């Protein structure tokens, strides 16, 4: 009887380990550090990827000098150099229905090729349609990666 119980226990342990080996454990998304990329102090500016104010929020993954040239124009000189062998530029943009006060982002990897980009745009009290851009440098990510963009627009708190 003891041998049957031992054998059954061992079989259950083995069956449980075999079942768990085939499944990838769900993991929490990992925060990815980034640095803001700026054209300040250059003779360059961003070309708005949207030709009108009906453009939705978007993120463009840029992995080469040719790609960044599609979104910048310089009257003199060039934009700050990026080592595209080590970095990717994420060009995040959108349109707010009120003036933009601040922008905060969180960038996380969900899986090897899937990312979560959360943007919070805090708006002021002045009614104006305002396009915004937030370019950031991250460690190199492949061109075929999927970036899930979520943008939250926060209205100002009014105190009466």
């Amino acid at each position: 009887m003891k041998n049957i119980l031992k054998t059954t226990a061992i079989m259950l342990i083995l069956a449980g380990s075999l079942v768990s080996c085939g499944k990838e454990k769900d993991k929490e998304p990992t925060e990815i550090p980034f640095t803001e990329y700026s054209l300040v102090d250059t003779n360059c500016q961003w070309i708005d990827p949207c030709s009108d104010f009906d453009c939705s929020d978007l993120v463009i993954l840029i992995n080469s000098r040719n790609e960044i040239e599609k979104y910048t124009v310089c009257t003199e000189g060039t934009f700050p150099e990026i080592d595209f062998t080590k970095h990717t530029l994420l060009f995040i943009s959108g349109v707010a229905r009120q003036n933009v006060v601040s922008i905060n982002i969180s960038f996380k990897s969900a899986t090897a090729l899937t990312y979560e980009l959360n943007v919070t745009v805090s708006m002021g009290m002045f009614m104006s349609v305002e396009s915004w851009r937030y370019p950031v440098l991250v460690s190199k990510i492949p061109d075929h990666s999927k970036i899930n963009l979520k943008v939250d627009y926060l209205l100002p708190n009014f105190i009466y």
Side-chain angles (χ1 to χ4, degrees):
M1 184 68 165
K2 286 185 179 183
N3 285 341
I4 294 175
L5 289 174
K6 284 182 184 178
T7 304
T8 304
I10 290 171
M11 297 286 274
L12 287 173
I13 291 170
L14 286 174
S17 66
L18 289 174
V19 169
S20 66
C21 285
K23 295 181 182 177
E24 185 179 312
K25 291 185 179 182
D26 291 337
K27 64 175 190 152
E28 286 293 314
T30 306
E31 191 78 31
I32 297 177
F34 61 88
T35 54
E36 188 174 351
Y37 180 81
S38 176
L39 296 179
V40 173
D41 297 330
T42 70
N43 291 317
C44 301
Q45 64 183 6
W46 294 107
I47 297 172
D48 200 336
C50 301
S51 59
D52 57 27
F53 286 111
D54 291 329
C55 183
S56 63
D57 304 320
L58 61 94
V59 59
I60 300 168
L61 191 140
I62 299 174
N63 269 329
S64 73
R65 182 174 179 84
N66 287 342
E67 290 175 47
I68 195 173
E69 287 174 349
K70 295 176 187 176
Y71 302 102
T72 57
V73 63
C74 299
T75 56
E76 187 179 308
T78 187
F79 48 84
E81 195 62 36
I82 298 172
D83 183 353
F84 285 109
T85 63
K86 296 179 183 175
H87 295 97
T88 294
L89 179 69
L90 299 178
F91 186 75
I92 312 159
S93 67
V95 177
R97 301 296 177 207
Q98 288 179 219
N99 65 306
V100 175
V101 175
S102 67
I103 299 172
N104 292 306
I105 74 167
S106 166
F107 188 53
K108 298 179 180 181
S109 66
T111 65
L113 295 174
T114 306
Y115 299 87
E116 297 174 3
L117 180 57
N118 296 304
V119 180
T120 303
V121 179
S122 298
M123 298 183 296
M125 61 182 170
F126 301 109
M127 298 298 289
S128 66
V129 176
E130 186 175 320
S131 64
W132 57 268
R133 300 162 197 83
Y134 201 92
V136 296
L137 282 175
V138 298
S139 293
K140 185 76 170 182
I141 57 177
D143 283 327
H144 54 281
S145 299
K146 180 171 173 42
I147 300 174
N148 297 315
L149 176 65
K150 180 182 177 228
V151 180
D152 290 318
Y153 289 93
L154 301 180
L155 293 170
N157 291 330
F158 293 105
I159 300 174
Y160 296 99

